[in-house]
Amino acid sequence: MKKKFKHIYDKFIANRICILALLLLSSHAALAQPTPNPDTSNWFLSPGIIGTIVLIFIVLAVVVVIVYIRLSTYLDMMNHKAKAKKKLTFSEELIDMDEAEIDDILEKRKAALKYRLTGRELGSQETANDTKGIVSKVTHEPENPLFDEKKKTRLNMETPVPLKKIVIWYLGASIFWLVFGTLIGQYVGMKFIWPEMDTVPWLSFGRLRPVHTNTVFWGWASMAMIGLGYFVIARTSNTVIYKYKWAWRSWYLINLSVLIGNIFLLAGINNGGGEYREYIWSVAVLFMVGLIYTFRNFYKTVANRRISDIYVSNWYLFGGLLWTITLAIIGYLPNYQDGLGETVIQGYYMHQGVGMWFMTFTLGLVYYYLPSSLNKPIYSYSLGVLAFWTQMLFYTLIGTHHFIFSPLPWWLQTVAIVFSAGMFIPVVAGTTNFLMTMRGSWSEISKSYVLPFFLVGVIFYFVGSTQGSFQAFRFTNYVWHFTDFNVAHSHMTMYGIISFLLWACVYAILPQLTGSEPKQIFVGAHFWMAFIGLFAYMISLMIGGTLKGLSWIDGKPFIDSVILMQPYWVWRAIGGSLMFLSHLVFAYNFYVMVKKKDTGTQAETAALKSVNI
Amino acid sequence: MFNFHKDHKSLANTALFVFVGLSIFIAVVPAFQMQETKPLPSMEPLTEQQHRGFNIYIAENCVSCHTQQVRNIEMDNAWGERPSIPSDYYFSKKRMDVWRQSPSILGSERTGPDLTNVGKRQSGEEWHLLHLYNPRTVVKESIMPGYPWLFEEKNEQDIAPDDRVIPVPASFLRHPSKKIVATQQALDLVAYLQSLEQPALQGDGTAEFIASIKKKKATVSESEETGNLPDGTALYASTCAACHQADGEGLPGAFPPLAGSAIVNDENPETLIRIILEGYDTRPEYGVMAPFANMLSDEEIAAIATHERGNWGNNAPAVSPQKVKEIRKLIQNLKE
């Protein structure tokens, strides 16, 4: 039976490969045996490298545009204000005049023609008096000329109190993990420059690195996503959450798994070092059960919806949860993980962890929060649906591109490379959808403190994902695999895409729930420090990683590549510090948004309670 | 039936089952197939000590910086004689215990060197122990963390006869009066590292590296035109400097200096070449040197010897590949 199955499967694979071969056309030979080492003398002319450089310039261009729009709107506004003021004063004066006054002016004008200075004009003792009421506001503190004032949010959305509490507590926990996780990341980054910072076993590099990655994955991003998801599910189903209790249970379970998991990692107990599944299964089970509770809750809430359609956001939230639960089960079941079986699963798991969980779920959030903060519908519902199914199809098949040229079967590697290119479809569909939604509202960007986060996140979605596809190409993989370039890529995506979009969602919803806005200057500080920090981080490791790869290809001694990386690691640490500081500012902003106001809160809460029960 | 916009049940079911189907096709079935490999005849299971060391290797998460896969491309030639194959992992990639799965030793980052063949490349126990205590004792620019908690600091009088004392240079000691003694854990870990060697393949030609077009051309033209040697400086840096140091001064108490050495400066290079080919273990005050006959070609050995004889104040004539070839033959004859 097993043999027969194997035979059928092999035949199936053979057919599959034939199709792929047709797709590849020219590289038929590549299937049997990989082609030789490419010529590196013109490495910068390789399509993957050029593509990546172009992508980075896209981000730069967008930033330049944001800055330009900001500056020019600000200058315009100043000009405009001054002109308007002048006009207003003049026209009001004209209107207010009667015949006698006009005569008076004419008389004065005549007199003025003959007028000569007396020499006593300055230094009069009379007090200033706005007899015509033209000045509307007197201030001793003119507007701070460095920071543009943004629109206030429409405050106070009617939301059930328990739901508010869930969103706030999920976000609160996520921010704790963000600050903790990036503090560790920052410390680990500094160890590249000072490897002898400490000699404590619990703080050694090997143990701390997975603490950083797992904390920001399962602590920060996952908690923030689920918290924001609860609001979307209730809102778009026009109903209340099925069971608040389940939300709390999964809150405890997930936090507990991150807490225990990290303590274990620090103590040297890990699941064998496979990235992102370093927590042993008994810890991961807590997380998994948390996800199952969340899914059940979401599903039941959607089932109880009071509108007939299921909004596209909820597709993504369902997909994200279902796929991740499947993924965790496949990733941890032991039956097929001896020998290189584990490596196949590792490629599948680590890629899907990012693609099916963080990316899918966050896209779902964007499909709600972006249009809602622009106060208009999503550009194309169908594009959203197309992106959903292609995301599932293409993302799932490309895990092995983390193991190109490895001893894994070549057909797996080929499928991964081909479908990596296929990833352009969902990425382009998603990006187009978001940008077209923003179209016509560009001026809103300069007036809002939420939209710049969305814009940067969406641009990184395109740039980061496309760059990832380029990285799977043969030549670029040759140069970049195993180097620090990978680290740059994962920060470009997990930070540039996921974190920026999550921040956008948080700033979009939280003030509406709590009724308090963060100080705009601090939101701006968060945005710019995170962005500049990320850029410094990314660019330094990309350049360093490329040089490292080229040095390896040239057959230079390994230690040369360590020495050449030193300045780039310093720049990485500087960028990382900025990113970390921005998280402290974010934590402060969160505190301002959720702290209880002295007056009004009680009465308001009571009123809401009576409405929603 | 499949109205996903209105029917949450069919939406969730479709998303779940298609994904499960794809996952089985792309991950589960290939994983089942991949674990059906058998070990090569020349492979041996890890000894108990090596296994204990392997557990420390995983607990300290060495895999986050060190790969153990020689890819089928020319640049990975530096890390093994042939590309890795699934059988290579037969004994090491097994479920560790109830709690921990088969370890991910293939790795995804090469922040440090690949370790597939480190037992062959770097065979001395002394070197490994020094390097583990503080990598900067042997490689000045290394950024690897030290593992001093695998060692004990002892007073001179407390040292037992079977204690393994490590000759750590004084500048790296926290308490200059004390001696550094390796714990059993350190010895286990080193035993594991020393066991890392690519097992021999039966037959030949099946797993050649994909050669570089560029390099091939370069070597052909070089040997035709000038008969130049490969780059001795680079070869010395990647093969010899870890012990004898980049400045040729060695490390007192562990590795002898080459600068000013009588053997290196000898007009007749025979002894020097023999040491490189056969290894060296006659001076108790220094660590053991591994033989390099199987790892380096005649041209490479000639280049290294020439580099050693013309630097750091040394001044002896260059060595030709023919000379190395002669001596290699001589040794073979002696053995037979």
Side-chain angles (χ1 to χ4, degrees):
Chain A
M1 183 65 207
K2 201 179 167 194
K3 223 170 186 179
K4 195 178 173 195
F5 169 70
K6 195 171 178 268
H7 177 71
I8 294 171
Y9 184 79
D10 284 345
K11 213 170 164 190
F12 174 54
I13 296 298
N15 286 338
R16 191 97 195 185
I17 288 176
C18 285
I19 298 166
L20 284 173
L22 283 176
L23 278 174
L24 287 167
L25 285 173
S26 58
S27 49
H28 193 276
L31 292 166
Q33 188 191 2
T35 34
N37 197 346
D39 184 5
T40 54
S41 56
N42 286 324
W43 61 273
F44 43 83
L45 292 180
S46 126
I49 304 245
I50 291 177
T52 303
I53 293 172
V54 169
L55 289 170
I56 291 167
F57 273 99
I58 291 179
V59 179
L60 266 185
V62 169
V63 172
V64 169
V65 169
I66 295 182
V67 173
Y68 175 76
I69 293 176
R70 279 287 153 77
L71 278 179
S72 67
T73 41
Y74 181 70
L75 289 177
D76 276 359
M77 192 192 68
M78 295 298 276
N79 264 335
H80 199 69
K81 252 189 199 166
K83 273 186 195 158
K85 214 172 201 172
K86 243 186 201 167
K87 266 188 193 164
L88 192 75
T89 325
F90 186 65
S91 53
E92 277 183 14
E93 257 183 88
L94 284 182
I95 292 161
D96 285 352
M97 285 178 182
D98 52 28
E99 293 268 313
E101 255 180 311
I102 293 168
D103 288 345
D104 193 35
I105 289 170
L106 285 174
E107 284 300 314
K108 275 187 186 161
R109 188 71 201 131
K110 272 183 199 164
L113 287 174
K114 295 174 199 159
Y115 183 75
R116 294 289 175 274
L117 286 173
T118 61
R120 291 177 50 245
E121 285 76 12
L122 299 173
S124 127
Q125 293 301 309
E126 283 173 51
T127 46
N129 193 9
D130 178 24
T131 47
K132 297 195 172 67
I134 288 165
V135 179
S136 57
K137 184 184 162 194
V138 179
T139 174
H140 295 289
E141 293 171 66
E143 279 174 60
N144 188 340
L146 275 177
F147 299 101
D148 203 356
E149 198 164 324
K150 305 287 170 5
K151 237 195 215 164
K152 302 267 177 192
T153 18
R154 299 165 288 127
L155 297 177
N156 284 329
M157 199 176 253
E158 274 185 26
T159 314
V161 175
L163 177 59
K164 263 191 201 181
K165 220 176 139 190
I166 286 169
V167 176
I168 289 171
W169 276 84
Y170 267 91
L171 290 179
S174 79
I175 289 163
F176 170 77
W177 291 122
L178 173 69
V179 172
F180 172 75
T182 50
L183 177 67
I184 301 283
Q186 171 63 4
Y187 190 68
V188 163
M190 293 198 309
K191 287 197 160 205
F192 280 81
I193 311 165
W194 299 292
E196 286 178 72
M197 280 170 84
D198 67 71
T199 48
V200 186
W202 282 45
L203 296 180
S204 76
F205 181 87
R207 301 195 194 178
L208 276 186
R209 183 180 185 265
V211 172
H212 164 64
T213 52
N214 284 286
T215 306
V216 294
F217 270 38
W218 315 123
W220 147 242
S222 304
M223 288 299 276
M225 277 154 45
I226 295 175
L228 291 163
Y230 265 108
F231 183 81
V232 174
I233 280 282
R235 188 85 182 165
T236 55
S237 300
N238 199 15
T239 183
V240 289
I241 293 299
Y242 180 69
K243 270 193 182 152
Y244 292 120
K245 221 205 276 171
W246 286 0
W248 288 108
R249 274 190 204 158
S250 71
W251 189 90
Y252 284 111
L253 285 168
I254 294 176
N255 278 317
L256 206 61
S257 83
V258 178
L259 182 70
I260 301 177
N262 282 343
I263 293 174
F264 276 7
L265 289 181
L266 289 171
I269 300 166
N270 66 56
N271 191 31
E275 276 176 285
Y276 319 138
R277 48 175 181 162
E278 284 104 337
Y279 292 168
I280 54 174
W281 65 264
S282 39
V283 175
V285 150
L286 298 175
F287 188 86
M288 228 181 292
V289 175
L291 286 194
I292 292 172
Y293 269 125
T294 309
F295 174 72
R296 288 281 293 164
N297 217 356
F298 280 18
Y299 183 78
K300 290 282 189 186
T301 307
V302 169
N304 291 341
R305 69 191 180 279
R306 289 201 212 127
I307 43 175
S308 75
D309 279 292
I310 308 166
Y311 184 60
V312 71
S313 277
N314 301 343
W315 294 41
Y316 282 84
L317 304 193
F318 274 15
L321 285 162
L322 281 172
W323 298 338
T324 311
I325 294 165
T326 314
L327 184 67
I329 294 170
I330 292 182
Y332 276 93
L333 279 181
N335 313 48
Y336 37 76
Q337 302 218 30
D338 281 344
L340 288 192
E342 186 273 339
T343 309
V344 176
I345 299 295
Q346 177 61 27
Y348 164 83
Y349 176 90
M350 76 168 140
H351 194 78
Q352 260 52 263
V354 177
M356 308 324 277
W357 176 231
F358 299 108
M359 203 61 248
T360 308
F361 201 103
T362 305
L363 285 177
L365 297 176
V366 176
Y367 274 104
Y368 170 77
Y369 288 108
L370 176 66
S372 88
S373 51
L374 285 169
N375 207 11
K376 64 192 213 187
I378 191 83
Y379 168 72
S380 162
Y381 200 88
S382 328
L383 263 184
V385 171
L386 170 81
F388 175 78
W389 294 118
T390 44
Q391 171 103 355
M392 179 183 73
L393 182 66
F394 294 151
Y395 235 120
T396 313
L397 298 177
I398 62 183
T400 309
H401 73 193
H402 293 261
F403 290 100
I404 292 175
F405 298 123
S406 76
L408 290 186
W410 185 246
W411 73 264
L412 265 178
Q413 302 184 31
T414 312
V415 169
I417 296 177
V418 171
F419 283 93
S420 294
M423 274 303 294
F424 285 122
I425 297 173
V427 170
V428 170
T431 315
T432 313
N433 214 354
F434 298 143
L435 289 179
M436 291 304 273
T437 307
M438 290 187 202
R439 196 179 68 145
S441 307
W442 297 121
S443 63
E444 295 287 316
I445 289 169
S446 60
K447 294 181 201 143
S448 156
Y449 54 80
V450 177
L451 289 173
F453 281 100
F454 271 122
L455 183 63
V456 166
V458 168
I459 294 301
F460 266 116
Y461 175 47
F462 177 69
V463 169
S465 312
T466 315
Q467 191 275 318
S469 295
F470 284 151
Q471 206 167 336
F473 291 176
R474 220 175 46 82
F475 177 79
T476 36
N477 194 272
Y478 213 103
V479 180
W480 288 336
H481 197 46
F482 292 149
T483 70
D484 295 64
F485 199 100
N486 289 347
V487 185
H489 172 73
S490 49
H491 283 80
M492 192 171 180
T493 48
M494 274 306 291
Y495 199 86
I497 307 175
I498 307 292
S499 294
F500 268 86
L501 290 177
L502 289 177
W503 287 325
C505 300
V506 171
Y507 284 127
I509 191 61
L510 211 48
Q512 298 192 36
L513 288 183
T514 62
S516 351
E517 281 193 281
K519 288 211 177 65
Q520 295 186 346
I521 177 169
F522 285 120
V523 182
H526 172 199
F527 176 82
W528 287 107
M529 283 204 288
F531 183 81
I532 294 169
L534 172 63
F535 221 76
Y537 191 114
M538 221 171 77
I539 298 296
S540 55
L541 287 191
M542 282 178 157
I543 298 174
T546 308
L547 295 177
K548 195 181 200 178
L550 290 171
S551 136
W552 289 349
I553 292 178
D554 277 352
K556 300 240 176 74
F558 186 84
I559 196 71
D560 282 14
S561 68
V562 177
I563 296 165
L564 82 84
M565 282 302 293
Q566 298 289 355
Y568 302 103
W569 283 328
V570 172
W571 279 106
R572 181 260 291 277
I574 293 171
S577 308
L578 273 178
M579 288 151 81
F580 175 66
L581 285 178
S582 83
H583 305 156
L584 293 180
V585 177
F586 175 53
Y588 172 74
N589 289 342
F590 175 77
Y591 165 74
V592 170
M593 285 188 276
V594 299
K595 83 169 168 211
K596 288 241 157 53
K597 280 189 289 186
D598 298 334
T599 50
T601 325
Q602 291 303 320
E604 190 187 74
T605 321
L608 279 172
K609 258 185 189 154
S610 64
V611 168
N612 287 302
I613 285 171
Chain B
M1 184 192 166
F2 286 111
N3 189 351
F4 299 132
H5 296 276
K6 310 226 185 253
D7 183 358
H8 49 271
K9 208 176 218 170
S10 71
L11 174 67
N13 281 338
T14 312
L16 177 63
F17 289 119
V18 176
F19 181 72
V20 169
L22 285 171
S23 300
I24 289 174
F25 159 71
I26 201 71
V28 177
V29 174
F32 266 116
Q33 290 180 333
M34 287 309 287
Q35 75 172 2
E36 275 172 25
T37 42
K38 291 276 165 281
L40 295 168
S42 57
M43 285 169 75
E44 275 171 32
L46 296 177
T47 64
E48 205 179 304
Q49 186 189 17
Q50 287 163 0
H51 205 86
R52 286 198 305 266
F54 183 45
N55 276 337
I56 299 169
Y57 184 83
I58 296 302
E60 296 299 342
N61 207 15
C62 303
V63 297
S64 68
C65 294
H66 294 284
T67 54
Q68 279 190 37
Q69 53 167 318
V70 181
R71 293 171 298 167
N72 189 13
I73 51 181
E74 201 207 6
M75 66 191 273
D76 273 21
N77 211 342
W79 306 120
E81 285 123 46
R82 57 169 175 85
S84 298
I85 54 171
S87 294
D88 290 344
Y89 303 96
Y90 183 82
F91 291 113
S92 51
K93 279 180 70 56
K94 289 209 147 134
R95 191 166 182 89
M96 299 178 76
D97 49 36
V98 184
W99 307 105
R100 298 174 301 165
Q101 65 169 29
S102 147
S104 289
I105 55 171
L106 271 76
S108 62
E109 286 278 314
R110 225 172 242 171
T111 309
D114 184 274
L115 298 184
T116 307
N117 221 11
V118 73
K120 191 165 187 188
R121 197 168 64 232
Q122 208 63 261
S123 58
E125 186 185 45
E126 190 119 282
W127 185 88
H128 277 294
L129 288 168
L130 271 169
H131 185 249
L132 274 182
Y133 178 75
N134 186 335
R136 267 123 341 252
T137 55
V138 282
V139 185
K140 204 171 73 218
E141 300 87 354
S142 170
I143 57 154
M144 176 173 142
Y147 293 87
W149 60 90
L150 299 178
F151 297 82
E152 279 176 290
E153 281 182 334
K154 279 192 178 175
N155 289 319
E156 190 109 41
Q157 63 271 20
D158 299 335
I159 293 172
D162 54 348
D163 273 352
R164 188 81 166 82
V165 180
I166 316 300
V168 177
S171 57
F172 290 93
L173 289 173
R174 272 179 293 188
H175 307 288
S177 62
K178 295 194 173 176
K179 294 279 176 201
I180 304 299
V181 175
T183 62
Q184 189 56 43
Q185 286 183 304
L187 296 172
D188 292 347
L189 180 51
V190 170
Y192 169 67
L193 293 172
Q194 286 178 303
S195 79
L196 289 172
E197 224 173 276
Q198 276 192 315
L201 274 184
Q202 249 63 16
D204 56 358
T206 46
E208 287 278 294
F209 275 102
I210 305 162
S212 149
I213 300 165
K214 189 181 94 185
K215 288 248 171 87
K216 246 185 194 161
K217 274 184 199 153
T219 42
V220 167
S221 63
E222 264 175 27
S223 53
E224 275 177 358
E225 286 166 16
T226 55
N228 269 350
L229 294 174
D231 183 0
T233 317
L235 279 168
Y236 179 83
S238 51
T239 322
C240 321
C243 292
H244 295 291
Q245 302 299 307
D247 56 6
E249 292 296 339
L251 205 66
F255 312 114
L258 302 178
S261 150
I263 293 175
V264 176
N265 282 305
D266 193 344
E267 194 74 19
N268 180 0
E270 190 177 329
T271 318
L272 176 63
I273 295 171
R274 283 194 65 164
I275 290 177
I276 297 175
L277 285 169
E278 293 185 294
Y280 199 60
D281 184 23
T282 48
R283 294 172 67 175
E285 73 269 36
Y286 291 125
V288 185
M289 176 166 161
F292 284 86
N294 296 330
M295 280 182 267
L296 297 170
S297 68
D298 295 341
E299 286 77 16
E300 286 168 332
I301 290 176
I304 290 171
T306 305
H307 174 77
E308 290 172 353
R309 287 156 72 87
N311 277 287
W312 322 302
N314 290 352
N315 192 10
V319 176
S320 70
Q322 284 75 23
K323 183 79 189 165
V324 181
K325 204 174 177 182
E326 270 171 37
I327 294 171
R328 202 191 276 268
K329 231 180 213 164
L330 185 81
I331 293 169
Q332 217 132 37
N333 291 342
L334 280 177
K335 269 184 192 161
E336 281 161 13

